[in-house]
Amino acid sequence: MDLEQVKAVIALAEEAGLLELEVETEDLSVRVVRGAPAPVQRPAPVESAAAPAAAETGAAATTIRAPMAGTFYAAPAPDAEPFIRPGSSVASNSTVCIIESMKMMNEIRSPRAGTCAEVLVANGTPVETGQPLFTLR
């Protein structure tokens, strides 16, 4: 791999807004790690229609659904704390989980602020497009 090919790998990572990209050849391994993502359009969480109001709080429930098929990860690393748990406060547009799809780590964000009422998927399990992941109140 020559310098131009390395530059092309870096440009690809920046263009796609990737935080991390690794390319291996027989004679060289290149890993690009960036501190902050470039502005890119990411799949937005699919929201269900508002559920009936919760009796104790009067707040409408929102279901955060998987925007793609892949593997659900509740935390940014195996030894890290989950992004959210039942009872956690959730800010609008905050990361609630990661779905690994086609070897890409996709941060799934909350469509609104609220409180996590329920986590519907176990860490490390496969999910399908549209599958409910969390309920927010």
Side-chain angles (χ1 to χ4, degrees):
M1 185 177 278
D2 64 21
L3 183 58
E4 290 304 312
Q5 290 172 316
V6 172
K7 287 180 180 180
V9 168
I10 293 169
L12 175 64
E14 288 178 353
E15 183 179 304
L18 300 176
L19 295 176
E20 188 173 322
L21 176 64
E22 187 170 349
V23 176
E24 291 185 40
T25 64
E26 289 180 9
D27 59 337
L28 183 66
S29 175
V30 176
R31 182 174 178 184
V32 178
V33 179
R34 297 172 354 111
V40 295
Q41 281 202 305
R42 296 181 186 259
V46 179
E47 288 186 54
S48 69
E56 65 277 1
T57 64
T62 298
T63 301
I64 300 175
R65 298 178 180 271
M68 66 197 65
T71 303
F72 172 87
Y73 294 108
D79 59 343
E81 292 293 315
F83 289 106
I84 62 172
R85 292 187 168 139
S88 299
S89 292
V90 179
S92 179
N93 202 35
S94 64
T95 302
V96 293
C97 69
I98 293 173
I99 295 180
E100 179 182 9
S101 180
M102 298 178 66
K103 299 193 180 207
M104 299 266 309
M105 297 298 194
N106 301 281
E107 291 183 354
I108 308 305
R109 299 185 178 272
S110 176
R112 68 173 183 88
T115 301
C116 177
E118 191 173 11
V119 177
L120 304 169
V121 181
N123 189 49
T125 59
V127 295
E128 297 179 10
T129 302
Q131 180 175 343
L133 303 174
F134 303 95
T135 302
L136 296 183
R137 297 226 189 284

